[in-house]
Amino acid sequence: YRVALSDCPIFCSSSLLKMLSLSEQVVLITGASTGIGAALAKILAERFHPIRLVLAARNADKLEKVANY
């Protein structure tokens, strides 16, 4: 699930990043155990540390792997 920030248009604009202070927010991601949800969780955790993420998914085992990333 490696996705580069440059692959995601919303993260490419430095002016947008300056406007957003996601590190001070709580973000809920559903479907976070696989695919886009897992990739988004990892990107947000890397880019906006110490962001608070709430991850939800049907598969607890896969979700735990993403949460421990």
Side-chain angles (χ1 to χ4, degrees):
Y1 302 114
R2 278 307 223 190
V3 177
L5 291 177
S6 59
D7 293 338
C8 303
I10 191 167
F11 293 112
C12 293
S13 169
S14 61
S15 60
L16 177 62
L17 287 175
K18 289 177 185 176
M19 289 173 31
L20 297 175
S21 183
L22 289 179
S23 61
E24 300 173 5
Q25 302 298 314
V26 176
V27 177
L28 169 65
I29 302 173
T30 59
S33 62
T34 62
I36 294 171
L40 179 62
K42 292 174 182 179
I43 288 171
L44 291 176
E46 289 173 355
R47 181 68 180 173
F48 296 101
H49 182 73
I51 192 170
R52 292 171 285 172
L53 299 175
V54 178
L55 307 177
R58 293 181 288 180
N59 188 314
D61 293 331
K62 289 182 182 179
L63 183 62
E64 189 170 339
K65 290 179 184 178
V66 173
N68 291 327
Y69 171 75

